[in-house]
Amino acid sequence: MRIGVCPGSFDPVTNGHLDIFLRASKMFDLVIVAVFHNPNKKPLFTMEERVEMLTLATKDLPNVKVDSFSGLLNDYVRRQNSNFIIRGLRALTDFEYEFQRALLIKKIDPEIETIFMMTSNEYSFISSSGIKELAKFGGPITGLVPECLEEKIVKRIREKS
C-alpha cells in the first residue's frame, strides 16, 4: 500500500490545503494529513480542534485520514509505514524553505522521499496567516476555507482579536 504523509500546522485549514489533499489522494492509496505541534508557532486552534476540523473538511475523501503528532517528521513517517512526505507549494519562497527541510530529512533518513505539489492557480495566494488577517479585520473568507468551517474560523479569529 502506498501511503503519503502530508504534514502541517493547518491553523486554519484552507481550500489550498484541500486542493493538495484531493490531488494527493489520487496518487496514494492512503494520505495521512498529519497535524504537528510546531513550537515556533502560537496556534489559533488547539491540536484537537485542528484534527476535528480537518476530519470534517476531508470527510468526502475516503482514502484521507487525519492524525496528529509531535517530534521528528521522519520518525512519524516511518511509524505510518510510509516513505513519502507530501508538501504543497504556493510560491518560490515556499520551495526554498521546503527544499531545505527535505534535504535535511533526506540526510537523516535517505529512504524517505519528499514530493512537492504546486497548488492550483486559484489557491496560490491563500495562506493560513492571510486568512487570519483577513478575518480579523472583517474581510470575507468565503471560498478561501472549507464552507463547513467558515463560521467557526471567523468566530475564533474575532474572539482572539
Side-chain angles (χ1 to χ4, degrees), residues 44-105:
L44 181 65
F45 293 96
T46 66
M47 178 101 65
E48 294 77 18
E49 288 173 319
R50 287 178 277 157
V51 166
E52 178 185 309
M53 292 166 66
L54 282 158
T55 301
L56 183 60
T58 59
K59 71 179 185 335
D60 294 330
L61 300 175
N63 64 328
V64 173
K65 170 182 131 180
V66 179
D67 193 16
S68 63
F69 75 100
S70 60
L72 292 175
L73 177 56
N74 61 301
D75 291 341
Y76 177 80
V77 169
R78 289 291 187 191
R79 285 194 306 271
Q80 303 309 309
N81 297 313
S82 178
N83 291 340
F84 301 103
I85 297 170
I86 303 160
R87 294 287 196 183
L89 301 175
R90 293 168 299 189
L92 186 58
T93 52
D94 284 349
F95 176 76
E96 290 173 354
Y97 176 75
E98 296 295 350
F99 183 67
Q100 288 178 354
R101 290 176 65 179
L103 289 176
L104 182 59
I105 288 173

Side-chain angles (χ1 to χ4, degrees), residues 8-18 21 35 41-46 49-51 53-54 57 90 126-135 141 144-146 149-150 152-154 156-157:
S9 53
F10 309 113
D11 188 43
V13 61
T14 70
N15 284 345
H17 294 131
L18 290 182
F21 305 157
V35 181
K41 292 186 179 182
K42 186 175 179 179
L44 181 65
F45 293 96
T46 66
E49 288 173 319
R50 287 178 277 157
V51 166
M53 292 166 66
L54 282 158
R90 293 168 299 189
I126 300 174
S127 68
S128 293
S129 58
I131 296 296
K132 289 185 255 192
E133 187 174 340
L134 188 60
I141 61 170
L144 306 178
V145 299
L149 301 175
E150 183 178 346
K152 180 181 182 115
I153 292 169
V154 168
R156 175 63 57 85
I157 291 169

Side-chain angles (χ1 to χ4, degrees), residues 28-39:
F28 292 92
D29 299 310
L30 175 65
V31 172
I32 301 171
V33 176
V35 181
F36 70 87
H37 169 69
N38 184 340

